[in-house]
Each structure stands twice: as C-alpha cells, then as structure tokens.
Amino acid sequence: MTAADRALGVGIGWRPEIAEAVEALAAAGGVDWVEAVAENVCPGHLHPSLARLRERGVTVVPHGVSLGLGGADRPDPGKLADLAARAEALGAPLVTEHIAFVRAGGPLTASPRLEAGHLLPVPRTREALDVLCENVRIAQDALPVPLALENIAALFSWPGEEMSEGRFLAELVERTGVRLLIDVANLHTNHVNRGEDPAKALAELPVEAIAYVHVAGGIERDGVWHDTHAHPVPRAVLDVLADLASRVSPPGVLLERDDDFPPPGELASEVAVIRETVTAGAGARHRTPPSEGGAARPRPEPGAAQSGARERLALAQTALLAGLVAGAPVPHGFDAARLRVQSRALAAKRAGVVAKVAPELPEILGDGYRPAFTGYASGRPMRDGYRRDALDFAEHLLSRDLPADRAARRELTDWWRERAGVRPPGRTARLLRAARTAWTGARA
C-alpha cells in the first residue's frame, strides 16, 4: 500500500481566515487532515499555522487551481515544478488539480493570451480526451507523488459532446491511471445546471480510483446553481455523498469553505454532519454495479493524440473564452444566456479577488467599487494575474477622470503611483491604450 492509498479520514480546507479554527478542530480530533490551495503555499516560508499542523503530524494535501490540464497547451514546466515543490515542502502523500482549462490563446492560435481566472469545463469529446490524457501523463512524470484530478462544476455545456461525465472520467482513469478527486457538490451543480444525473455518474465511475471527496455549499438563483463554497452544505449534496459512500468507502472526505466563513462551532457541526453522512452511507453499502463503459482501452503513448487535435481544441477554447471575458461573439452552438451568466460570474469573481489583493480599492471607491470593476472587466480580460488587474483597473478609472469625487480620485492616484512607479496616464497614453485594447479585441 502506497502513501497515497492510506485513509485520510474527514478533513477541512485550510484557509488563512480560519487557520485558528482549523488548528483547534485538528487538536480536538474534529478533523483528521487538511487541504491547502497550492498556489497559496510558499515552500520556503510555510504559513505558521500550516507548519504547526505538520509538526503535529496532520496530513496537508496541496490542491492546485492554475495548471489547466484540460487546456490545449502542454502543461507549463514551471507550474509543474512549483506544484512538485509544494508537495515536497508539505510532505504530502499526493497532489490534486482539476479537469478544466483556465487560459487560452497564445502561440497555438497566434492570438493574445486570455486568462479566465476560473475553472472552465473541457468538451467531453474523444479528441479533447486525447489531449487531456497526454497532459496528465506529462504532469504525472513531473510530480514526485501521485496525482488526483477533480471533476468541476459548470454553468454550461459544450455543443457536440460525445460522452457523459462518468464515462469521460472512467476513460481518463483507464488510459492514464490517474486518481480521482470526486466533488459531490459539483455533481449536484451539474445536475441542476446541465440535467446530469449524479447517480448515473457515480455508477459509471471507477470508484476504486477515488483518492478523496470534496463537499461544499452553494446557492440556486433563477434556476442556476452557483457553487459558491460560501454557504452551508445543502441536503441535496449530502444525499449525493451518501450515495457515493454506499458504493465505496472513500479514503478521505473534505469540507471546502472559501468565503463568508461561519463561527468555528458551525464549521465543526458541518464537519460532524459529513462524518455522520459517510457512516450512514457505509451502513447502506451495496455491491457496486458493473461499469457501463466496457473493457479498458489501451493506454496510448504520449504524443498519440490525433494530428491537429491541440490546434483545434485551442481554437475552440479561445473562441469561447474570448466570448466570456473579451466581449467577442458567443461561439455557435452554445447557450448564449448561460454564457452571459458565466461571464457575469467571472467578472464578479475577479472583483472579489482584486478586493482581497488590493483592499484599498473598495475602501477608496466605497459602494461604487463593484459596479465600476464589473464595468471595467466587461470586455477587458486579465493580462497577468490579479495584482496587475488591480493596477489596470485603477489606471482605467484615472484615464477617464474617475472617480468623480476629487478627494477619492486624488487618493486613487496616490495609490496607483506608489505601486506602478510612474505618473498616471496623460491624453496620449490614454489614446494609445484605447487603440491597443481595440486591436486586442479584434485579434481575439
């Protein structure tokens, strides 16, 4: 039995905002392990809370969000090296990432690079699966510990999909041997948003490949389920967890909470309910029905994807992402209404992250911050991460003599100058930026 096969138990997502509560839960035996967002871990300077947890023997698993293994490009060697370094710094038994794409454009399409700032669904086609399998094998070869991949929540579907979610995941496992991180909240999200049956997905999965399980809350608005990680876990998600636990004993189950954190007592209660649900599911365990996918397929060697597959996937993902973040037309075959919901959600997430990265901006702009940022984000994709986004947003306002309040504009100018190291843009610079933005939109 490898380290990755050992039972983890019931855990919670570690976040700096609830670090003290997580440590208290671990000390009291309320949680057995934790998961930390990999990009927030500094290998040479672990957060003191994570260091204390490690000293107490608590397992910490790094969970990546930016690799984009479902994208058309091969995995970035630097990002793989960073993920490997975090796994080694934490002494982790495995690392996890997502079956998603997070960026598009670039050399494969001879167009500007676009960043989503969010996990977006991969088309469930055989050609996209070929590309994904190659990317997974590259990642596996670069990592010092086993890799597990998570199914994501989605607001929309790709046209022309050829497989169900369960069959897509089963073939991915058959061809690469990768482990699975099954998010039961995401199965519920896809049930509401895409009409997919969680029970059917679980029946098609190779449940023996599950490394651990995510559980999280969300909210339904206007018939769309938003996987917020900021609300209590609903009964419907617990029911999917119970179904999974009735089929297999998951090595680990973890509560995710990313925002609007409740008091420690409520966190402890949610973890306890999850533990009880797994126990109850185990009591009702029945023999798992045979997979509907048939015999395992042979594992092609790296580079076996059909010629041109990456380029075709790149063009499709770039067109979609340009429609979501750069104001381009909605690609043919997509649900335009759903893409508008997704576009607004992406802008809202950007606004929230920028507010955390640069908390002075909402302080300066007050109630006008959110509408100003979402207006700016409409048609203006992120260039180079959230810190750059904050500077670009401030420059955008100043170039338009905003905010209208002179004192607030002066304060924003000082903030921008301190961080950008240059004078605010004059008329010529504003005209050049407008021309560059128009050209970038046309190329996308």
Side-chain angles (χ1 to χ4, degrees), residues 285-346:
R285 186 164 302 144
H286 54 76
R287 191 172 181 178
T288 304
S291 168
E292 299 174 14
R297 297 170 180 268
R299 291 174 55 181
E301 293 301 316
Q306 182 181 349
S307 175
R310 288 188 182 275
E311 289 77 7
R312 288 187 289 274
L313 183 61
L315 288 169
Q317 290 180 336
T318 300
L320 172 61
L321 194 48
L324 290 171
V325 303
V330 172
H332 177 71
F334 284 94
D335 184 326
R338 281 298 172 90
L339 289 197
R340 284 195 294 272
V341 173
Q342 181 70 82
S343 183
R344 290 194 295 270
L346 291 177

Coordinates of all heavy atoms in Angstrom, one line a residue, residues 285-346:
R285 N -24.2 0.2 2.3 CA -23.4 -0.1 1.2 C -23.9 -1.3 0.5 O -24.2 -2.3 1.1 CB -21.9 -0.3 1.6 CG -21.0 -0.5 0.4 CD -19.5 -0.3 0.8 NE -19.4 1.0 1.4 CZ -18.6 1.3 2.4 NH1 -17.9 0.4 3.0 NH2 -18.5 2.6 2.8
H286 N -23.9 -1.2 -0.8 CA -24.3 -2.4 -1.6 C -23.2 -2.6 -2.7 O -22.3 -1.8 -2.8 CB -25.6 -2.1 -2.4 CG -25.7 -0.9 -3.2 ND1 -25.0 -0.7 -4.4 CD2 -26.2 0.3 -2.9 CE1 -25.2 0.5 -4.8 NE2 -25.9 1.1 -4.0
R287 N -23.3 -3.7 -3.3 CA -22.3 -4.1 -4.3 C -22.4 -3.1 -5.5 O -23.5 -2.9 -6.0 CB -22.5 -5.5 -4.8 CG -21.4 -6.0 -5.6 CD -21.6 -7.5 -5.9 NE -20.5 -8.0 -6.7 CZ -20.4 -9.3 -7.0 NH1 -21.4 -10.2 -6.7 NH2 -19.4 -9.7 -7.7
T288 N -21.2 -2.6 -5.9 CA -21.2 -1.6 -7.0 C -21.6 -2.3 -8.3 O -21.0 -3.3 -8.6 CB -19.8 -1.0 -7.1 OG1 -19.5 -0.4 -5.8 CG2 -19.8 0.1 -8.2
P289 N -22.5 -1.8 -9.1 CA -22.9 -2.4 -10.3 C -21.7 -2.2 -11.3 O -20.9 -1.4 -11.2 CB -24.1 -1.6 -10.8 CG -24.0 -0.3 -10.1 CD -23.4 -0.6 -8.8
P290 N -21.7 -3.1 -12.3 CA -20.6 -3.1 -13.3 C -20.6 -1.7 -14.0 O -21.6 -1.1 -14.2 CB -20.8 -4.2 -14.2 CG -21.8 -5.1 -13.6 CD -22.6 -4.2 -12.6
S291 N -19.4 -1.3 -14.4 CA -19.2 -0.1 -15.2 C -19.9 -0.2 -16.5 O -19.9 -1.3 -17.1 CB -17.8 0.3 -15.4 OG -17.6 1.3 -16.4
E292 N -20.6 0.8 -17.0 CA -21.2 0.8 -18.3 C -20.3 1.0 -19.4 O -20.7 1.0 -20.6 CB -22.4 1.8 -18.3 CG -23.4 1.6 -17.3 CD -24.4 2.7 -17.2 OE1 -24.4 3.5 -18.2 OE2 -25.2 2.8 -16.3
G293 N -19.0 1.2 -19.1 CA -18.1 1.7 -20.2 C -17.4 0.5 -20.9 O -16.7 0.8 -21.9
G294 N -17.6 -0.7 -20.5 CA -17.0 -1.8 -21.2 C -15.5 -2.0 -20.8 O -15.1 -1.5 -19.8
A295 N -14.8 -2.8 -21.6 CA -13.4 -3.1 -21.3 C -12.5 -1.9 -21.4 O -12.8 -0.9 -22.1 CB -12.9 -4.1 -22.3
A296 N -11.4 -1.9 -20.6 CA -10.5 -0.8 -20.5 C -9.8 -0.7 -21.9 O -9.5 -1.7 -22.6 CB -9.4 -1.1 -19.4
R297 N -9.5 0.5 -22.3 CA -8.8 0.8 -23.5 C -7.3 0.8 -23.3 O -6.9 1.1 -22.2 CB -9.3 2.2 -24.1 CG -10.7 2.2 -24.4 CD -11.1 3.7 -24.7 NE -12.6 3.7 -25.0 CZ -13.0 3.7 -26.3 NH1 -12.2 3.5 -27.3 NH2 -14.3 3.7 -26.5
P298 N -6.6 0.4 -24.3 CA -5.1 0.5 -24.2 C -4.7 1.9 -23.9 O -5.3 2.9 -24.4 CB -4.6 0.0 -25.5 CG -5.7 0.2 -26.5 CD -7.0 0.0 -25.7
R299 N -3.6 2.1 -23.2 CA -3.1 3.4 -22.9 C -2.1 3.9 -24.0 O -1.0 3.3 -24.1 CB -2.4 3.4 -21.5 CG -3.3 3.3 -20.4 CD -2.6 3.1 -19.1 NE -1.7 4.3 -18.9 CZ -0.9 4.4 -17.8 NH1 -0.8 3.4 -16.9 NH2 -0.1 5.4 -17.7
P300 N -2.5 4.8 -24.9 CA -1.5 5.3 -25.9 C -0.3 6.0 -25.3 O -0.4 6.5 -24.2 CB -2.4 6.3 -26.7 CG -3.8 6.0 -26.3 CD -3.7 5.5 -24.9
E301 N 0.8 5.9 -26.0 CA 2.0 6.6 -25.5 C 1.8 8.1 -25.7 O 1.0 8.6 -26.5 CB 3.2 6.2 -26.4 CG 3.6 4.7 -26.1 CD 3.9 4.5 -24.7 OE1 4.6 5.3 -24.1 OE2 3.4 3.4 -24.1
P302 N 2.5 8.9 -24.9 CA 2.5 10.4 -25.1 C 2.7 10.8 -26.5 O 3.6 10.2 -27.2 CB 3.6 10.9 -24.2 CG 3.7 9.8 -23.1 CD 3.4 8.5 -23.8
G303 N 1.9 11.7 -27.0 CA 2.0 12.2 -28.4 C 1.1 11.5 -29.3 O 1.1 11.7 -30.5
A304 N 0.2 10.6 -28.7 CA -0.7 9.8 -29.6 C -2.0 10.5 -30.0 O -2.8 10.0 -30.7 CB -1.1 8.5 -28.8
A305 N -2.2 11.8 -29.5 CA -3.4 12.5 -29.9 C -3.3 12.7 -31.4 O -2.3 12.9 -32.0 CB -3.5 13.8 -29.2
Q306 N -4.5 12.7 -32.0 CA -4.7 12.9 -33.5 C -4.0 14.2 -33.9 O -4.1 15.2 -33.2 CB -6.1 12.9 -33.8 CG -6.4 13.0 -35.3 CD -7.9 13.1 -35.6 OE1 -8.7 12.8 -34.7 NE2 -8.3 13.5 -36.8
S307 N -3.3 14.2 -35.0 CA -2.6 15.3 -35.5 C -3.6 16.5 -35.7 O -4.7 16.4 -36.2 CB -2.0 15.0 -36.9 OG -1.5 16.2 -37.5
G308 N -3.2 17.7 -35.1 CA -4.0 18.8 -35.2 C -5.0 19.0 -34.1 O -5.8 20.0 -34.0
A309 N -5.1 17.9 -33.2 CA -6.1 18.0 -32.1 C -5.9 19.2 -31.2 O -6.8 19.9 -30.8 CB -6.1 16.7 -31.3
R310 N -4.6 19.4 -30.8 CA -4.3 20.6 -29.9 C -4.8 21.9 -30.6 O -5.3 22.8 -29.9 CB -2.9 20.6 -29.5 CG -2.5 19.5 -28.6 CD -1.1 19.7 -28.0 NE -0.7 18.6 -27.1 CZ -1.0 18.6 -25.8 NH1 -1.7 19.6 -25.3 NH2 -0.7 17.5 -25.1
E311 N -4.5 22.0 -31.9 CA -4.8 23.3 -32.6 C -6.3 23.5 -32.6 O -6.8 24.6 -32.4 CB -4.2 23.3 -34.0 CG -2.7 23.5 -34.0 CD -1.9 22.2 -33.7 OE1 -2.6 21.1 -33.5 OE2 -0.7 22.2 -33.5
R312 N -7.0 22.4 -32.9 CA -8.5 22.5 -33.0 C -9.1 22.9 -31.6 O -10.0 23.7 -31.5 CB -9.1 21.3 -33.6 CG -8.9 21.1 -35.1 CD -9.6 19.9 -35.6 NE -9.1 18.6 -35.2 CZ -8.1 18.0 -35.8 NH1 -7.5 18.5 -36.8 NH2 -7.6 16.8 -35.3
L313 N -8.6 22.2 -30.6 CA -9.1 22.5 -29.2 C -8.7 23.9 -28.8 O -9.5 24.6 -28.2 CB -8.4 21.5 -28.2 CG -8.9 21.6 -26.8 CD1 -10.4 21.4 -26.7 CD2 -8.1 20.6 -25.9
A314 N -7.5 24.4 -29.2 CA -7.1 25.7 -28.9 C -8.0 26.7 -29.5 O -8.4 27.7 -28.9 CB -5.6 25.9 -29.3
L315 N -8.4 26.5 -30.8 CA -9.2 27.5 -31.4 C -10.6 27.5 -30.8 O -11.2 28.6 -30.6 CB -9.4 27.1 -32.9 CG -8.2 27.4 -33.8 CD1 -8.3 26.7 -35.2 CD2 -7.9 28.9 -34.0
A316 N -11.1 26.4 -30.4 CA -12.5 26.3 -29.8 C -12.4 27.0 -28.4 O -13.3 27.7 -28.1 CB -12.9 24.9 -29.7
Q317 N -11.4 26.7 -27.6 CA -11.4 27.2 -26.3 C -11.1 28.7 -26.3 O -11.6 29.5 -25.5 CB -10.3 26.5 -25.4 CG -10.7 25.1 -25.1 CD -9.7 24.3 -24.3 OE1 -8.5 24.7 -24.3 NE2 -10.1 23.3 -23.6
T318 N -10.3 29.2 -27.3 CA -10.0 30.6 -27.4 C -11.3 31.4 -27.8 O -11.6 32.5 -27.2 CB -8.9 30.9 -28.4 OG1 -7.7 30.2 -28.0 CG2 -8.6 32.4 -28.5
A319 N -12.0 30.8 -28.7 CA -13.3 31.5 -29.1 C -14.3 31.6 -28.0 O -14.9 32.6 -27.7 CB -13.9 30.7 -30.3
L320 N -14.4 30.5 -27.2 CA -15.2 30.5 -26.0 C -14.8 31.5 -25.0 O -15.6 32.3 -24.5 CB -15.3 29.1 -25.4 CG -16.1 29.0 -24.1 CD1 -17.5 29.4 -24.2 CD2 -16.0 27.6 -23.5
L321 N -13.5 31.5 -24.6 CA -13.0 32.4 -23.6 C -13.1 33.9 -24.0 O -13.4 34.8 -23.2 CB -11.6 32.0 -23.2 CG -11.0 32.7 -21.9 CD1 -12.0 32.5 -20.8 CD2 -9.7 32.0 -21.6
A322 N -12.9 34.1 -25.3 CA -13.0 35.5 -25.8 C -14.4 36.0 -25.7 O -14.7 37.1 -25.4 CB -12.6 35.6 -27.3
G323 N -15.4 35.1 -25.9 CA -16.8 35.4 -25.7 C -17.1 35.7 -24.2 O -18.0 36.5 -23.9
L324 N -16.4 35.0 -23.3 CA -16.7 35.2 -21.9 C -16.0 36.4 -21.3 O -16.6 37.0 -20.4 CB -16.2 33.9 -21.1 CG -17.1 32.7 -21.4 CD1 -16.4 31.5 -20.7 CD2 -18.5 32.8 -20.8
V325 N -14.8 36.7 -21.7 CA -14.0 37.8 -21.0 C -13.6 38.9 -21.9 O -13.1 39.9 -21.4 CB -12.8 37.2 -20.3 CG1 -13.2 36.1 -19.3 CG2 -11.8 36.7 -21.3
A326 N -13.7 38.8 -23.2 CA -13.2 39.9 -24.1 C -14.3 40.5 -24.9 O -14.0 41.2 -25.9 CB -12.1 39.3 -24.9
G327 N -15.6 40.2 -24.7 CA -16.6 40.8 -25.4 C -16.8 40.3 -26.8 O -17.5 41.0 -27.6
A328 N -16.2 39.2 -27.2 CA -16.4 38.6 -28.5 C -17.7 37.9 -28.6 O -18.4 37.6 -27.6 CB -15.3 37.6 -28.8
P329 N -18.2 37.7 -29.9 CA -19.5 37.0 -30.0 C -19.5 35.6 -29.4 O -18.4 34.9 -29.3 CB -19.7 36.9 -31.6 CG -18.7 37.9 -32.1 CD -17.6 38.0 -31.1
V330 N -20.7 35.1 -29.0 CA -20.8 33.8 -28.5 C -20.6 32.8 -29.6 O -21.2 32.9 -30.7 CB -22.2 33.6 -27.9 CG1 -22.5 32.1 -27.5 CG2 -22.4 34.5 -26.7
P331 N -19.7 31.8 -29.4 CA -19.5 30.8 -30.5 C -20.8 30.0 -30.8 O -21.6 29.8 -29.9 CB -18.4 29.9 -29.9 CG -17.8 30.7 -28.8 CD -18.8 31.6 -28.3
H332 N -20.8 29.5 -32.0 CA -22.0 28.8 -32.5 C -22.2 27.6 -31.6 O -21.3 26.8 -31.3 CB -21.9 28.4 -33.9 CG -23.0 27.6 -34.5 ND1 -24.2 28.1 -34.7 CD2 -23.1 26.2 -34.8 CE1 -25.0 27.1 -35.2 NE2 -24.3 26.0 -35.2
G333 N -23.5 27.3 -31.3 CA -23.9 26.1 -30.6 C -24.0 26.2 -29.1 O -24.5 25.3 -28.4
F334 N -23.4 27.3 -28.5 CA -23.5 27.5 -27.1 C -24.8 28.2 -26.7 O -25.4 28.9 -27.5 CB -22.3 28.3 -26.6 CG -21.0 27.5 -26.5 CD1 -20.1 27.5 -27.6 CD2 -20.7 26.8 -25.4 CE1 -18.9 26.8 -27.5 CE2 -19.5 26.1 -25.3 CZ -18.6 26.1 -26.3
D335 N -25.2 28.0 -25.5 CA -26.4 28.7 -24.9 C -26.0 30.1 -24.5 O -25.2 30.3 -23.5 CB -26.9 27.9 -23.7 CG -28.1 28.5 -23.1 OD1 -28.3 29.7 -23.1 OD2 -29.0 27.7 -22.5
A336 N -26.4 31.1 -25.3 CA -25.9 32.4 -25.1 C -26.3 33.0 -23.7 O -25.6 33.7 -23.0 CB -26.5 33.3 -26.2
A337 N -27.5 32.6 -23.2 CA -28.0 33.0 -21.9 C -27.1 32.5 -20.8 O -26.7 33.2 -19.9 CB -29.4 32.6 -21.7
R338 N -26.7 31.2 -20.9 CA -25.9 30.6 -19.9 C -24.5 31.3 -19.9 O -23.8 31.5 -18.9 CB -25.8 29.1 -20.1 CG -27.0 28.4 -19.6 CD -27.1 28.6 -18.0 NE -28.3 28.0 -17.5 CZ -28.4 26.8 -17.0 NH1 -27.4 26.0 -17.1 NH2 -29.5 26.3 -16.6
L339 N -24.0 31.6 -21.1 CA -22.7 32.2 -21.2 C -22.7 33.6 -20.6 O -21.7 34.0 -20.1 CB -22.2 32.2 -22.7 CG -21.8 30.9 -23.3 CD1 -20.9 31.1 -24.5 CD2 -21.0 30.0 -22.3
R340 N -23.8 34.3 -20.7 CA -23.9 35.6 -20.1 C -23.8 35.5 -18.6 O -23.2 36.3 -17.9 CB -25.2 36.3 -20.5 CG -25.2 36.9 -21.9 CD -26.3 37.9 -22.2 NE -27.6 37.2 -22.1 CZ -28.2 36.7 -23.2 NH1 -27.6 36.7 -24.3 NH2 -29.4 36.1 -23.0
V341 N -24.5 34.4 -18.0 CA -24.4 34.2 -16.6 C -23.0 33.9 -16.2 O -22.5 34.4 -15.2 CB -25.3 33.0 -16.2 CG1 -25.1 32.6 -14.8 CG2 -26.8 33.4 -16.5
Q342 N -22.3 33.0 -17.0 CA -20.9 32.7 -16.7 C -20.0 33.9 -16.8 O -19.1 34.1 -16.0 CB -20.4 31.6 -17.7 CG -19.0 31.2 -17.5 CD -18.8 30.4 -16.2 OE1 -19.1 29.2 -16.2 NE2 -18.4 31.0 -15.1
S343 N -20.2 34.8 -17.8 CA -19.4 36.0 -17.9 C -19.6 36.9 -16.7 O -18.6 37.4 -16.2 CB -19.8 36.7 -19.2 OG -19.0 37.8 -19.4
R344 N -20.8 37.0 -16.3 CA -21.0 37.9 -15.1 C -20.4 37.3 -13.8 O -19.8 38.0 -13.0 CB -22.5 38.1 -14.8 CG -23.2 39.0 -15.9 CD -24.6 39.4 -15.4 NE -25.5 38.3 -15.3 CZ -26.3 37.9 -16.2 NH1 -26.3 38.4 -17.4 NH2 -27.1 36.9 -16.0
A345 N -20.4 35.9 -13.8 CA -19.8 35.2 -12.6 C -18.3 35.4 -12.6 O -17.7 35.6 -11.6 CB -20.2 33.8 -12.6
L346 N -17.7 35.4 -13.8 CA -16.3 35.6 -13.9 C -15.9 37.0 -13.5 O -14.9 37.2 -12.8 CB -15.8 35.3 -15.3 CG -15.8 33.8 -15.8 CD1 -15.4 33.7 -17.3 CD2 -15.0 32.9 -15.0

